[in-house]
């Protein structure tokens, strides 16, 4: 596996920091040093641009999860300024983990672009926001990652063509994703990874998997499907697995319940690394580790056709 790029695990902190910088930094530290994740990712919204007046001033649909009297107040409570995001980026650098952010609107895209992270993500909700994506194509040189949840096949094809037309499809990473919190196993649809590889693998930089399910078994299945897809189609490098991350799934907020706690993320990062080494063919008929056992245990035929223990 030494000649194959490793699959990176993204710890999607999102808004699970609950509006607290100390908690955001703790999440970075745990993701980096305890879990060994590759990327710590947040979210950036300019709420008065993103929401209508009615949406901004309506009550939160789940009052128990709200941090304000209205949905707008709730969202503002969870927002960090661009200056605070710069502080988070510096924390990531000190911890040896990549920083990234999902941008939900044009203003947020402009702000995060000014920080020049190695990758910027678009959530499924904004993958048809072409003014935003056009700005990134023209003003940002890093990888642009896009989730494809709640998106038709025709819309995905148009999305890829949009980047191709602007000469940026080589920087595009497409994620197989089902938008739900949490997602039932029958709705994860892991083979969508392979469909994206088959249809777009020679047009984009890589394919990823963004999961909102429970546990980590499906992520390992996604890794296996993605690596097999690389071999079957000869294209569509499988590059990323993204999972929401929290310190405690019982914390107040919408995303915590569909997130991994530290031990879950640690196990995921461990298993992705280990299982990825197993996803290969035998290099020789009898591996060195087998030869030792063959010499002790294997019944074989000698030159006279007589069966006997190899030893």
């Amino acid at each position: 596996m030494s000649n194959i790029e490793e699959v990176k695990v993204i710890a999607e902190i999102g808004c699970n920091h609950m509006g607290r910088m100390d908690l955001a930094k703790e999440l970075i530290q745990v993701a980096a040093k305890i879990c060994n994740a590759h990327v710590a990712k947040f979210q950036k919204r300019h709420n008065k641009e993103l929401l209508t007046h009615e949406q901004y001033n309506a009550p939160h649909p789940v009052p128990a999860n709200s941090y304000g009297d209205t949905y707008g107040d709730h969202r503002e409570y969870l927002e960090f300024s661009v200056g605070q995001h710069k502080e988070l980026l510096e924390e990531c650098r000190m911890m040896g983990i990549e920083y990234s952010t999902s941008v939900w609107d044009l203003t947020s895209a402009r702000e995060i672009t000014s920080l020049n992270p190695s990758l910027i993500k678009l959530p499924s909700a904004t993958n048809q926001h072409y003014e935003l994506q056009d700005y990134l194509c023209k003003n940002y040189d890093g990888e642009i990652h896009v989730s494809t949840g709640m998106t038709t096949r025709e819309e995905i094809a148009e999305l890829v063509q949009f980047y191709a037309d602007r000469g940026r499809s080589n920087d595009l990473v497409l994620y197989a994703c089902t938008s739900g919190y949490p997602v039932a196993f029958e709705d994860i649809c892991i083979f969508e990874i392979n469909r994206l590889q088959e249809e777009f693998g020679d047009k984009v930089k890589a394919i990823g998997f963004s999961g909102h399910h429970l546990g980590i078994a499906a992520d390992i299945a996604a890794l296996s499907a993605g690596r097999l897809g690389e071999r079957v189609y000869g294209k569509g490098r499988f590059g990323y697995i993204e999972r929401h991350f929290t310190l405690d799934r019982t914390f107040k907020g919408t995303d915590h319940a569909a997130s991994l706690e530290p031990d879950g993320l640690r196990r995921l990062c461990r298993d992705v690394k280990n299982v990825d080494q197993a996803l290969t063919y035998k290099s020789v008929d009898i591996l060195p580790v087998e030869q030792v056992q063959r010499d002790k245990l294997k019944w074989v035929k000698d030159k006279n056709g007589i069966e006997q223990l190899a030893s």
Side-chain angles (χ1 to χ4, degrees), residues 184-203:
F185 282 97
E186 62 267 26
D187 292 328
I188 297 173
C189 304
I190 286 171
F191 289 157
E192 284 297 301
I193 293 169
N194 302 124
R195 188 182 68 78
L196 293 177
Q197 288 175 311
E198 180 181 15
E199 294 190 25
F200 307 113
D202 58 350
K203 299 179 177 67

Side-chain angles (χ1 to χ4, degrees), residues 85-241:
H85 274 274
K86 184 177 181 181
E87 192 175 336
L88 294 175
L89 184 151
E90 292 299 329
E91 183 70 24
C92 286
R93 285 178 177 165
M94 288 191 294
M95 291 297 108
I97 190 171
E98 290 183 64
Y99 160 91
S100 183
T101 295
S102 291
V103 294
W104 287 67
D105 52 79
L106 185 56
T107 297
S108 297
R110 289 179 176 134
E111 291 177 338
I112 297 303
T113 295
S114 72
L115 301 179
N116 196 32
S118 57
L119 67 95
I120 291 177
K121 180 94 185 293
L122 272 78
S124 298
T126 58
N127 67 22
Q128 298 298 290
H129 191 330
Y130 284 115
E131 183 182 6
L132 186 166
Q133 292 174 91
D134 187 58
Y135 178 85
L136 290 178
C137 286
K138 293 176 179 176
N139 297 279
Y140 173 67
D141 294 330
E143 291 183 0
I144 303 173
H145 293 213
V146 184
S147 276
T148 61
M150 51 185 171
T151 308
T152 68
R153 294 187 180 190
E154 182 180 355
E155 288 170 337
I156 295 171
E158 290 173 353
L159 172 72
V160 173
Q161 188 60 50
F162 176 88
Y163 282 88
D165 290 344
R166 285 153 182 78
R168 294 301 308 274
S169 57
N170 288 336
D171 297 312
L172 177 63
V173 178
L174 282 183
Y175 285 73
C177 175
T178 298
S179 298
Y181 305 89
V183 173
F185 282 97
E186 62 267 26
D187 292 328
I188 297 173
C189 304
I190 286 171
F191 289 157
E192 284 297 301
I193 293 169
N194 302 124
R195 188 182 68 78
L196 293 177
Q197 288 175 311
E198 180 181 15
E199 294 190 25
F200 307 113
D202 58 350
K203 299 179 177 67
V204 302
K205 183 168 187 176
I207 303 298
F209 173 68
S210 180
H212 306 101
H213 49 278
L214 302 179
I216 62 174
D219 303 282
I220 302 307
L223 169 68
S224 301
R227 284 306 198 197
L228 181 59
E230 291 177 348
R231 292 185 181 275
V232 170
Y233 303 113
K235 58 185 182 180
R237 179 177 71 84
F238 185 71
Y240 295 88
I241 293 175

Side-chain angles (χ1 to χ4, degrees), residues 235-255:
K235 58 185 182 180
R237 179 177 71 84
F238 185 71
Y240 295 88
I241 293 175
E242 176 187 66
R243 291 297 305 275
H244 281 262
F245 176 53
T246 183
L247 296 184
D248 189 333
R249 294 179 63 245
T250 67
F251 278 166
K252 176 180 175 179
T254 304
D255 290 343

